[in-house]
Amino acid sequence: MGMGTRARAIIGSGVAALSLALLAAGCSPTEPERMGQPTPGGIGLQPAASPLKVEAHHFHDWILLPLIVGISVFVLGLLIWIAIRYNKKANPVPAKWSHNTLIEIIWTVVPVLILVFISLFSFRLLFNYHDMPTPDLTVKATGNQWNWAYEYPDQGIAEYTSNMLPEDEARAQNVPYRLAADQPIVVPVGKTVRVLVTAADVIHAFALPAFGLKTDAVPGRVNETWFRADRTGVFYGQCSELCGVDHAFMPIEIRVVTQAEFEAWVVSKGGSMTPKTPEQVPGGSSAQAVAGTTGAPTVAQGAVAAPVSVPSVNPAAPAAATPAPAAAPAAPAAAQ
């Protein structure tokens, strides 16, 4: 009994010390979290910039992390207790039994119940990823050895190649080296963006942590994912599949801008904001086609657009972030 009491005291002291260490580490970050890129010394996930990533944060922080910590501390406590209570010195005469039906039922049923509990939340999040709303914009991303190529079929923007910025240019522009690209993806804030992901040679992966994106790019296959940025700014990702010797040099840069800035960028790329047919509208609905050709003129119809202005990213400070404005109501469908 004395040895068991001492074991419990040691376990309790160890758990308390570990909890204080984790609390101190979590409450004392080396610097403010950076939006859209890694934070040096950070211990958590990147700040969320889309509704899906917010849900992923909740799933990780409030479901998985408490379960992981609880199970780890429980198993560690059992190991320490058994090592102290049942070592040769404390227990010179070992027990003769080797089977306990109750314990075996417990360690079989409890893990199953834990997995079922986790699945209730993980399936809901998975369904949300696959249940894409009607997209406002489509971007095709093609992985190559070793860069990305992007195309905007709805706006008629032909495929262009995005390469990693050389180190001297990245330093000169004060952007993160190996994350910044010379030709980024540009999307409007608050819009549902469908991303069609494929590859031209080997398997790549389109991953951007701030939006919760990670989709394999497989040659001969087109995978689909989506996101809706809730603030303007610059967000970085990388290829997350080992695709060859230059795998580490395939950054993904997404610039989220206002609608006016996006329209100006589309025109600068030789595209148009006015689809020619309903099939060219994101989602392919006639109502969207009417909404895109009526009302206030777009840049392609002669409206004057403000120059494109993309927030710069300072590695020494968090990127600027502006909440997205409330979405405008959809235009009514044309009378039949």
Side-chain angles (χ1 to χ4, degrees), residues 103-183:
I103 292 179
E104 292 184 2
I105 292 176
I106 291 174
W107 74 38
T108 300
V109 173
V110 171
V112 170
L113 295 178
I114 292 175
L115 292 177
V116 170
F117 175 76
I118 293 175
S119 70
L120 298 177
F121 299 91
S122 63
F123 285 166
R124 183 177 64 180
L125 180 59
L126 184 64
F127 292 156
N128 289 340
Y129 267 94
H130 286 276
D131 187 19
M132 179 176 61
T134 302
D136 302 298
L137 173 69
T138 298
V139 178
K140 181 182 177 183
T142 304
N144 305 301
Q145 289 182 312
W146 284 272
N147 55 41
W148 290 95
Y150 305 122
E151 179 183 353
Y152 290 68
D154 301 315
Q155 285 71 36
I157 299 178
E159 185 177 84
Y160 62 92
T161 302
S162 177
N163 292 293
M164 183 186 72
L165 277 180
E167 184 173 7
D168 55 345
E169 294 185 25
R171 304 303 182 198
Q173 298 180 28
N174 201 26
V175 293
Y177 174 53
R178 293 191 179 178
L179 289 177
D182 58 354
Q183 294 287 337

Side-chain angles (χ1 to χ4, degrees), residues 26 31 37 41 48 52 55 69 75 104 135 143 145 189 204 214 221-222 230 232 239 288-289 300-301 304 328:
E31 61 178 88
Q37 59 180 300
L52 285 178
E55 294 185 30
V69 172
V75 173
E104 292 184 2
Q145 289 182 312
V189 65
H204 302 275
K214 191 176 188 299
R221 178 184 177 90
V222 177
D230 59 14
T232 58
C239 173
Q288 287 180 307
Q301 295 169 331
V304 178

Side-chain angles (χ1 to χ4, degrees), residues 33 42-48 51-70 117-118 121-122 124-125 129 209 212:
E33 286 187 312
I43 61 173
L45 302 174
Q46 283 192 26
L52 285 178
K53 188 57 186 293
V54 171
E55 294 185 30
H57 273 207
H58 290 163
F59 178 57
H60 174 269
D61 295 342
W62 300 106
I63 303 299
L64 295 183
L65 200 56
L67 284 173
I68 292 171
V69 172
F117 175 76
I118 293 175
F121 299 91
S122 63
R124 183 177 64 180
L125 180 59
Y129 267 94

Side-chain angles (χ1 to χ4, degrees), residues 6-85:
R6 289 196 297 271
R8 287 193 294 271
I10 293 173
I11 294 172
S13 300
V15 171
L18 179 62
S19 301
L20 289 175
L22 292 175
L23 181 62
C27 296
S28 303
T30 56
E31 61 178 88
E33 286 187 312
R34 298 181 181 181
M35 178 63 67
Q37 59 180 300
T39 299
I43 61 173
L45 302 174
Q46 283 192 26
S50 73
L52 285 178
K53 188 57 186 293
V54 171
E55 294 185 30
H57 273 207
H58 290 163
F59 178 57
H60 174 269
D61 295 342
W62 300 106
I63 303 299
L64 295 183
L65 200 56
L67 284 173
I68 292 171
V69 172
I71 293 172
S72 299
V73 171
F74 176 71
V75 173
L76 177 62
L78 282 180
L79 290 175
I80 295 175
W81 180 64
I82 290 172
I84 296 176
R85 175 67 180 83

Side-chain angles (χ1 to χ4, degrees), residues 258 260-262 264-265 304-310:
T258 64
E261 291 171 334
F262 174 70
W265 178 83
V304 178
V308 179
S309 175
V310 179

